[in-house]
């Protein structure tokens, strides 16, 4: 790629949940646009594969093993990146789980706690650990929220997940104002149905007891006649919010769902 067109030339970025799906697509795109990328996750094999692909394409990346629900891990990860590359400019707080979807009387307290710990506390820990480094030059934080809990409330049984996603948008907007004086922008993306691996780790129990019956004979995504979006499409939005192309945008949730949440909310 012509370096004159690179949107993140000279920048250092951290992508959490970078071993697959939206995180992996964003890490690859960041690197293609000139960033040095730390790819963070809990599965070394997946991280190494993404880093190898980035390097094969001429990019710069390092695997960073860590758990976003452990604040000590996140402090260490930020420190490692800054020690290696001297700065931090972009943080994509993307790691998350769907968790357990079940009626409220069947959702165990520990299942609720786990979803909160990874999705909401994990986002807080990621940002908190990054802010001291970002304050030095300013930068961009992007949080992966969802249509669930922000525009869509019809996925009955997804109470824990939707609550974390709503909380992420609130945190985004609170911190956008707080950090503006440090030239740090904070925005959220809210994907709808996207082809990723997250569904494989979702446990759904007895949802027929909780949901209201609704049929969408032509599909739930108006823009594509029901076809889910791709991780690469989401990554392009993340790149926009990470780059100076969005220099006057902060505190903003952006829905990327082909109109799904407008129909299904």
């Amino acid at each position: 790629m012509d370096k004159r067109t690179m949107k993140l030339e000279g920048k250092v970025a951290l992508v959490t949940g970078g071993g697959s799906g939206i995180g992996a697509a964003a890490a690859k795109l960041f690197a293609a646009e000139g960033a040095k990328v730390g790819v963070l996750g809990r599965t070394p094999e997946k991280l190494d594969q993404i880093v190898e692909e980035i390097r094969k394409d001429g990019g710069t990346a390092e695997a960073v093993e860590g758990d976003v629900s452990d604040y000590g891990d996140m402090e260490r990860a930020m420190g490692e990146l800054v020690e290696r590359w001297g700065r931090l400019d972009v943080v994509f707080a993307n790691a998350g789980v769907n968790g357990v979807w079940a009626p409220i009387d069947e959702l165990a307290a520990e299942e609720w706690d786990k979803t909160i710990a990874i999705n909401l506390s994990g986002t807080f820990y990621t940002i908190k650990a990054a802010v001291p480094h970002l304050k030095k030059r300013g930068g961009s934080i992007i949080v992966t929220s969802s249509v669930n809990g922000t525009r869509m409330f019809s996925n009955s049984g997804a109470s824990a997940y939707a609550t974390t996603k709503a909380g992420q948008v609130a945190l985004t907007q609170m911190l956008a104002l707080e950090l503006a004086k440090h030239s740090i922008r904070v925005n959220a993306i809210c994907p709808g149905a996207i082809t990723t691996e997250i569904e494989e780790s979702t446990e759904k129990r007895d949802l027929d007891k909780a949901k209201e019956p609704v049929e969408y004979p032509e599909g739930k995504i108006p823009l594509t006649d029901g076809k889910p979006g791709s991780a690469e499409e989401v990554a392009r939005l993340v790149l926009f919010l990470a780059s100076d192309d969005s220099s006057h945008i902060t505190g903003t949730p952006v829905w990327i769902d082909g109109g799904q949440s407008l129909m299904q909310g």
Side-chain angles (χ1 to χ4, degrees), residues 92-186:
F92 182 26
N94 168 71
V97 295
N98 274 359
V100 175
W101 290 22
I104 186 69
D105 51 346
E106 297 183 22
L107 183 66
E110 57 268 24
E111 292 168 341
W112 168 276
D113 290 344
K114 182 177 180 180
T115 302
I116 298 292
I118 296 172
N119 291 3
L120 189 52
S121 295
T123 299
F124 168 72
Y125 294 157
T126 300
I127 296 173
K128 179 175 173 60
V131 161
H133 305 291
L134 292 172
K135 280 184 175 181
K136 296 175 182 178
R137 296 179 181 83
S140 176
I141 298 168
I142 306 100
V143 174
T144 298
S145 178
S146 173
V147 293
N148 289 286
T150 59
R151 270 185 178 173
M152 253 171 55
F153 302 89
S154 54
N155 280 326
S156 299
S159 301
Y161 178 75
T163 297
T164 63
K165 297 293 134 177
Q168 285 176 316
V169 170
L171 182 63
T172 292
Q173 293 177 322
M174 291 295 295
L175 294 181
L177 188 57
E178 177 180 334
L179 298 175
K181 57 181 171 290
H182 301 290
S183 299
I184 300 171
R185 299 182 296 106
V186 192

